[in-house]
Amino acid sequence: MHRLNRMRIDAETANQKTLEEMTDYYTMWAHQIKTPIFALRLLLQENPTVNKEALTELFKIEQYVEMVLGYLRTEDMSSDLKLSRCALDSIIREQIHKYAGIFISKKLSLTYEGISENVLTDEKWLGFVIGQILSNALKYTRTGGIEIWLEDERGNRVSENPNLKQNTAPGICNTAPATLVIADSGIGIQPEDLPRIFEKGYTGVNGREDNRATGIGLYLSRKILRKLGHEITVDSQVDKGTEVRMSLWKKDLEMY
């Protein structure tokens, strides 16, 4: 019995070492691939009009590399988390700017009035999640556009009614329930797929029709948001669009 236990422990140790080596390899690869990608972008930008389509495809490659890095880093997020009071508007606008070219090339509208509230979160990781949600919305929206707003606990749009805004003193994190909504007018998600969209590798009907789908984006998004003390839900109707809701507020005491 003792020998069997020893063998089991040795096998687990070997498997853990293999996993760590594989993680290190792919992390190194993801960082190294950024150099030729950056060089190629510089070359293509010498004539952006002629190379417009190539630049769009290169941007997609860059986003896939970022997804790989995000996936690897979530295996040990605790050492990388930096919770602070962040301006939600600046996080959102950074991601909008990143995807501006896709909005323009697909001729999609963006409705966003701005959000004045702060949130207790990790700026980099929340930005990563918002970027993933925008990327999905853009991928599956052919006409119309994307709308971003904030809701209070009653489902009212905070940005549309000043009386609904939370009165929070400067530098103090809002602890009232509030939700960031990113909605699109895309093809929607099949009802039978909705319960499984957060499973790792699950692509559903839309993913099977689009060979570029990885089934990782929403899985990573929920995993990251839960690490941050946030939550995510998705409502969708076929041919009408999808609404992604991220509950972002958390109490200061949860930091400790």
Side-chain angles (χ1 to χ4, degrees):
M1 182 65 69
H2 177 74
R3 184 179 179 182
L4 288 175
N5 288 336
R6 182 70 254 176
M7 291 174 64
R8 179 177 57 81
I9 293 173
D10 289 344
E12 290 177 353
T13 301
N15 288 337
Q16 181 64 29
K17 184 178 180 181
T18 300
L19 180 61
E20 290 175 355
E21 290 175 349
M22 186 179 297
T23 300
D24 289 342
Y25 171 78
Y26 283 114
T27 301
M28 179 186 67
W29 176 88
H31 281 290
Q32 288 183 336
I33 201 68
K34 286 185 173 184
T35 300
I37 288 175
F38 179 72
L40 183 56
R41 175 167 289 280
L42 289 178
L43 291 171
L44 292 174
Q45 284 177 336
E46 291 179 0
N47 197 337
T49 304
V50 174
N51 297 324
K52 185 177 180 180
E53 291 186 8
L55 283 166
T56 299
E57 294 303 314
L58 183 61
F59 175 77
K60 294 176 184 177
I61 294 173
E62 290 173 327
Q63 299 315 115
Y64 282 127
V65 171
E66 287 302 316
M67 184 183 292
V68 170
L69 281 173
Y71 180 82
L72 293 170
R73 289 168 178 163
T74 55
E75 294 304 306
D76 185 23
M77 275 185 64
S78 56
S79 61
D80 192 42
L81 284 179
K82 294 181 181 178
L83 291 178
S84 62
R85 296 176 179 87
C86 307
L88 187 54
D89 184 72
S90 65
I91 299 175
I92 295 171
R93 289 186 186 278
E94 181 181 355
Q95 296 305 314
I96 290 174
H97 177 73
K98 180 187 293 185
Y99 289 94
I102 307 297
F103 275 100
I104 295 170
S105 65
K106 297 190 72 172
K107 296 181 173 60
L108 298 175
S109 65
L110 171 68
T111 304
Y112 175 60
E113 299 178 359
I115 294 172
S116 61
E117 276 77 0
N118 295 327
V119 60
L120 181 61
T121 191
D122 182 291
E123 183 174 3
K124 181 187 75 175
W125 282 111
L126 180 58
F128 177 86
V129 171
I130 292 174
Q132 289 297 310
I133 303 305
L134 279 177
S135 177
N136 276 354
L138 288 165
K139 182 186 299 183
Y140 296 111
T141 301
R142 301 189 181 102
T143 61
I146 293 171
E147 189 173 1
I148 304 173
W149 71 86
L150 196 69
E151 290 181 352
D152 68 2
E153 68 273 22
R154 297 180 298 277
N156 297 308
R157 296 197 185 196
V158 175
S159 58
E160 291 185 354
N161 187 344
N163 296 324
L164 294 175
K165 286 184 176 293
Q166 306 293 337
N167 296 318
T168 306
I172 302 299
C173 180
N174 196 334
T175 59
T179 301
L180 178 66
V181 185
I182 299 178
D184 64 62
S185 58
I187 61 176
I189 302 170
Q190 297 289 333
E192 62 269 26
D193 288 333
L194 271 175
R196 301 187 61 188
I197 57 175
F198 294 111
E199 294 180 14
K200 182 167 65 172
Y202 187 77
T203 58
V205 172
N206 294 340
R208 288 189 288 273
E209 293 177 354
D210 178 5
N211 292 328
R212 298 169 299 171
T214 62
I216 295 296
L218 284 175
Y219 162 77
L220 276 180
S221 295
R222 185 169 70 168
K223 183 176 181 180
I224 291 168
L225 289 176
R226 285 185 168 178
K227 289 280 188 179
L228 295 172
H230 310 321
E231 273 297 342
I232 181 171
T233 58
V234 175
D235 295 309
S236 186
Q237 295 185 55
V238 175
D239 296 328
K240 291 187 177 180
T242 300
E243 293 185 356
V244 178
R245 284 176 167 78
M246 289 170 275
S247 177
L248 302 179
W249 265 249
K250 59 184 290 183
K251 296 181 180 180
D252 284 12
L253 289 176
E254 293 180 5
M255 288 184 65
Y256 306 104

